[in-house]
Amino acid sequence: MLPIFWRMPIPCPFPIRCSDSVVYYLRGDIGIPPGGFPESLPIKVLQSRGLEPVVGRPGESLTPFDFEKAKAVLEKKFGGMFILTDQDVLSYALYPQVYNEFKLFRATLGQVGLLPTHIFLNPMKPGEEVDFELEEGKDLLLKLVSIGDVNKEGMRTVLFEVNGEPWYLPVTDLSSEGERKVREKAANDGDVGAPMPGVVVGLKVHVGDKVKEGEAVATLSAMKMESSIPATASGTVKRVLVNVGDKVEGDDLILTIE
């Protein structure tokens, strides 16, 4: 029996519904399966992304990889924040986008594994303090000062004190009190919706940014794959309704474009 996605109706909106890994599979990046693909399926998908199919054995078209150059790039980009090893270079060679996102996550949020287990598993309450060791000789005193009211987008501003310094953080409220039972759905021109249930792992635009139709504006993690979510129109980002880490259902509104 053919794989399920081969048997889907051709009118399916592939530019949005297909994950990047499926698109590259249909391009022939890992070879052609016995019997090939249904002729119209890869044509529709590749044309929507502006891609050409791979001709011949994929490995034959690979260019030599310069590991020394890659190491120099990583040293310039991340060397001031991390001690880089050959394992880093190999990870970057195999999965450059995933590696970059991981390092940027670590650079932004640090090692969340250093948090005490009870704080990682249970939300802090206003007035609660916790101290933990970032590294030998470097301790942090973290205090949750206040939690702002939920706004119309379902977000709150949370105020922390980190060693006495105030930090204001916007977060999506997921409590039973603040969570909107049903998110807005993408239904109008310029609406960008989630193609499938998943978790938002990347936002590439902010309110006021100019975007072009087809440009990647967010990244969704679903079924152990990451998919780029393209802009549905050219214009200015008017609203962003999610934060990184939010869970969404199919067609939930991610952002709007005017």
Side-chain angles (χ1 to χ4, degrees):
M1 180 178 291
L2 292 175
I4 183 70
F5 68 87
W6 282 16
R7 295 181 278 117
M8 295 172 66
I10 294 302
C12 177
F14 280 103
I16 297 178
R17 301 297 182 184
C18 274
S19 67
D20 291 346
S21 59
V22 172
V23 171
Y24 297 138
Y25 173 56
L26 292 174
R27 186 171 69 172
D29 279 19
I30 58 174
I32 304 298
F37 298 108
E39 183 176 353
S40 59
L41 180 57
I43 292 176
K44 285 180 175 288
V45 174
L46 297 182
Q47 285 182 346
S48 70
R49 300 293 183 94
L51 299 174
E52 295 291 334
V54 174
V55 178
R57 187 174 66 84
E60 292 177 344
S61 61
L62 288 177
T63 56
F65 190 84
D66 190 333
F67 286 91
E68 291 301 322
K69 182 179 179 180
K71 185 174 183 179
V73 170
L74 296 181
E75 286 287 356
K76 182 177 181 180
K77 191 170 186 179
F78 300 116
M81 297 177 282
F82 304 102
I83 297 175
L84 301 174
T85 66
D86 290 341
Q87 184 178 2
D88 286 273
V89 180
L90 182 58
S91 298
Y92 174 75
L94 293 172
Y95 305 103
Q97 181 179 348
V98 174
Y99 177 86
N100 279 318
E101 290 175 353
F102 171 70
K103 284 300 186 183
L104 289 173
F105 173 88
R106 286 287 304 276
T108 303
L109 299 178
Q111 298 187 41
V112 294
L114 295 176
L115 290 172
T117 302
H118 72 284
I119 293 297
F120 183 80
L121 296 176
N122 300 293
M124 296 177 66
K125 297 178 180 179
E128 187 175 358
E129 295 182 352
V130 61
D131 60 343
F132 54 94
E133 188 178 50
L134 271 184
E135 56 188 47
E136 186 175 357
K138 187 175 183 180
D139 296 332
L140 279 185
L141 176 62
L142 182 69
K143 178 180 180 180
L144 174 57
V145 178
S146 64
I147 301 175
D149 293 333
V150 63
N151 63 21
K152 63 181 181 180
E153 308 296 354
M155 301 180 188
R156 298 177 184 267
T157 297
V158 180
L159 172 59
F160 285 94
E161 283 185 359
V162 181
N163 286 348
E165 180 182 351
W167 284 30
Y168 296 86
L169 302 175
V171 298
T172 299
D173 187 280
L174 298 178
S175 69
S176 58
E177 171 188 342
E179 183 180 15
R180 290 171 293 175
K181 299 302 181 182
V182 180
R183 288 184 181 270
E184 291 184 54
K185 297 294 183 179
N188 304 308
D189 293 341
D191 286 356
V192 177
M196 64 189 79
V199 177
V200 178
V201 295
L203 286 172
K204 303 178 184 297
V205 296
H206 302 88
V207 172
D209 287 352
K210 302 288 186 181
V211 297
K212 294 183 179 179
E213 183 176 358
E215 176 184 345
V217 294
T219 305
L220 185 73
S221 177
M223 298 181 292
K224 298 183 179 180
M225 299 182 294
E226 290 190 0
S227 304
S228 298
I229 302 177
T232 55
S234 297
T236 302
V237 177
K238 185 68 174 179
R239 301 167 63 203
V240 177
L241 290 90
V242 298
N243 284 317
V244 172
D246 285 1
K247 294 181 180 180
V248 293
E249 298 296 327
D251 295 324
D252 279 356
L253 190 59
I254 302 295
L255 55 87
T256 62
I257 302 169
E258 287 189 350

